[in-house]
Amino acid sequence: MRGTKQRSKEQFFATLERLGASLEVDVGAGRTILSLNTLSENFEPALALMAEAVLNPAVSENEISSLKEESNAMLSQELSNNRKILKRVFRQALFRSTSLAFPPEGTLEGIKSITASDIKLFLTNQIKSGSAVVAVSSNKAVREVKAAVEKAFAGLPEGDAPKLEIPHAGTLEGRTVYVVDRPGSTTTEVAIGHYGILADHKERDHLELGLFAFGEDMTSILFQELREKKGWTYGTAGGFDLFERPRRYPGAFMVWAFPQAEHTEELVLRALELYGEYSKNGLNQKQLAFAKNSLSNSYPFKFATSRARLTVRLYELLEGALPQDITTYRKVVGSVSRQSLKKAIQKVHDPENLAIVLV
């Protein structure tokens, strides 16, 4: 995205814009997704430009220097953002001394130490045919798309990228509180949580159903108690994807809120009580029925656009998520009982062994 061996950064994006196309990069701890959106009639030249970015990046000293300045400015800005700090400290609390200890954006020291040679070596090792997935949603025939992809990426080096190290989930013993002092803050950022689940967890639909009722909707237990009834916080939620959605490596479960500073203590204590009650008892019949109805009706929206369908498919391929069509999902959700949900909850959720982060 910083120019290629054939074109400068400015020339590259000017060419992309003339084609009516856009290119985006999404970097995660275990994968990178480069997304192209283009007019159908310009599919082949836009795809060729995408391949040029992948196969022939310039990696010039000037661009890398500029990129490092931008990255450092972004990271420095995080120091004034309590919510960003909260997520970083929560990540440290769970994954200290592993490759997940820091987000993909890195650290100020890490960015400073990177050289153009490091990046060239990284790209040489990572960009391999055996580790690449090309997913296309198009109105063109499959054979046309396949031929265009094979032509554009003919120079993709063969082989596999180094095997991804998947950190093992550690253990939390008791409740540990981490406090980041931010004098003058009128609100507190709160995170309460523990290790999460993998994307292919066999009872993931059960667990996400329960969390919808517990903390993922304005009708949820957390929102109704902490926001509507008590008025302690401007917002609150609880789920597996507040930190990072479940992947091939352990993510995290997190209850999050940002109360007015003077209500911090009572909110944390009440949130712990609510989480303890949820972990022990699950949902009542009314809460379960509402969650089942809501999620069954909203699930088709995951497939509403071509981009959304691609995202679902890539999530299955790259992260190991279980494939779930609408009919199957509704059948699974419809079969959840209070007892089966409670059993699933008690296997994963642990209100006694937690990291509690306050910024």
Side-chain angles (χ1 to χ4, degrees):
M1 300 293 280
R2 309 294 291 198
T4 68
K5 291 174 182 175
Q6 292 92 336
R7 308 166 214 259
S8 67
K9 177 185 172 185
E10 292 74 19
Q11 291 171 332
F12 180 85
F13 281 102
T15 306
L16 196 65
E17 288 172 9
R18 281 196 296 273
L19 292 171
S22 62
L23 203 57
E24 298 174 0
V25 179
D26 173 21
V27 179
R31 53 98 187 108
T32 296
I33 298 175
L34 186 63
S35 301
L36 172 69
N37 192 16
T38 181
L39 298 171
S40 184
E41 59 264 32
N42 291 334
F43 171 63
E44 289 194 37
L47 183 67
L49 205 59
M50 180 190 197
E52 185 180 312
V54 173
L55 303 177
N56 296 301
V59 197
S60 70
E61 294 286 355
N62 286 343
E63 282 295 343
I64 296 306
S65 177
S66 172
L67 180 58
K68 287 172 70 171
E69 287 180 12
E70 291 174 23
S71 297
N72 278 327
M74 180 190 71
L75 291 175
S76 296
Q77 200 172 24
E78 285 194 14
L79 296 175
S80 62
N81 187 313
N82 287 0
R83 196 160 299 169
K84 295 275 190 180
I85 292 172
L86 177 85
K87 288 190 175 183
R88 282 194 174 241
V89 176
F90 188 72
R91 183 186 283 268
Q92 286 284 319
L94 266 61
F95 297 108
R96 188 169 46 248
S97 302
T98 77
S99 57
L100 295 177
F102 298 101
E105 292 79 14
T107 65
L108 289 168
E109 284 187 15
I111 295 296
K112 184 179 179 181
S113 69
I114 290 175
T115 67
S117 297
D118 294 328
I119 293 174
K120 288 177 182 176
L121 179 61
F122 178 81
L123 294 175
T124 297
N125 290 335
Q126 293 292 330
I127 299 175
K128 302 285 189 179
S129 63
S131 305
V133 172
V134 181
V136 182
S137 177
S138 173
N139 59 3
K140 295 180 179 295
V142 172
R143 65 179 181 281
E144 287 183 65
V145 172
K146 189 170 184 288
V149 169
E150 289 179 345
K151 179 181 177 182
F153 287 92
L156 189 62
E158 294 185 3
D160 295 306
K163 190 174 181 181
L164 179 68
E165 175 203 348
I166 300 178
H168 295 289
T171 56
L172 297 176
E173 296 183 5
R175 294 173 172 179
T176 304
V177 180
Y178 302 81
V179 180
V180 182
D181 190 22
R182 301 286 285 177
S185 295
T186 58
T187 61
T188 302
E189 290 286 336
V190 177
I192 301 170
H194 52 66
Y195 297 103
I197 60 173
L198 304 183
D200 63 352
H201 193 286
K202 64 180 182 179
E203 293 177 314
R204 189 171 142 212
D205 291 327
H206 281 65
L207 295 165
E208 290 185 342
L209 177 72
L211 287 177
F212 175 82
F214 178 68
E216 293 183 5
D217 186 70
M218 291 180 72
T219 62
S220 71
I221 294 167
L222 285 177
F223 194 90
Q224 288 299 307
E225 177 70 12
L226 304 180
R227 173 70 178 91
E228 292 296 308
K229 182 178 175 182
K230 300 294 187 182
W232 289 335
T233 179
Y234 298 102
T236 182
F240 290 122
D241 59 355
L242 297 173
F243 168 65
E244 280 189 352
R245 68 191 295 189
R247 300 195 182 283
R248 286 190 186 275
Y249 51 82
F253 164 75
M254 186 169 80
V255 170
W256 164 80
F258 55 114
Q260 296 157 316
E262 61 267 28
H263 296 308
T264 301
E265 185 175 336
E266 51 198 347
L267 177 135
V268 171
L269 293 174
R270 184 62 181 134
L272 287 169
E273 287 177 354
L274 292 172
Y275 183 45
E277 291 165 8
Y278 171 73
S279 301
K280 180 181 179 181
N281 303 317
L283 303 178
N284 62 38
Q285 196 59 48
K286 183 179 178 182
Q287 292 165 336
L288 178 61
F290 179 78
K292 289 166 74 168
N293 186 54
S294 297
L295 292 183
S296 292
N297 287 332
S298 65
Y299 190 73
F301 287 103
K302 285 193 173 186
F303 309 91
T305 66
S306 57
R307 180 67 176 269
R309 290 190 288 276
L310 266 186
T311 299
V312 170
R313 189 72 180 114
L314 281 172
Y315 187 41
E316 294 169 6
L317 288 168
L318 299 178
E319 305 297 353
L322 301 172
Q324 204 79 296
D325 59 60
I326 296 170
T327 302
T328 303
Y329 177 81
R330 286 177 167 169
K331 184 177 179 180
V332 170
V333 167
S335 69
V336 176
S337 66
R338 284 189 64 201
Q339 194 60 32
S340 66
L341 176 61
K342 187 162 80 169
K343 283 183 179 179
I345 289 171
Q346 290 176 347
K347 288 178 189 175
V348 170
H349 290 285
D350 184 359
E352 300 305 320
N353 300 292
L354 298 165
I356 302 169
V357 180
L358 310 175
V359 181

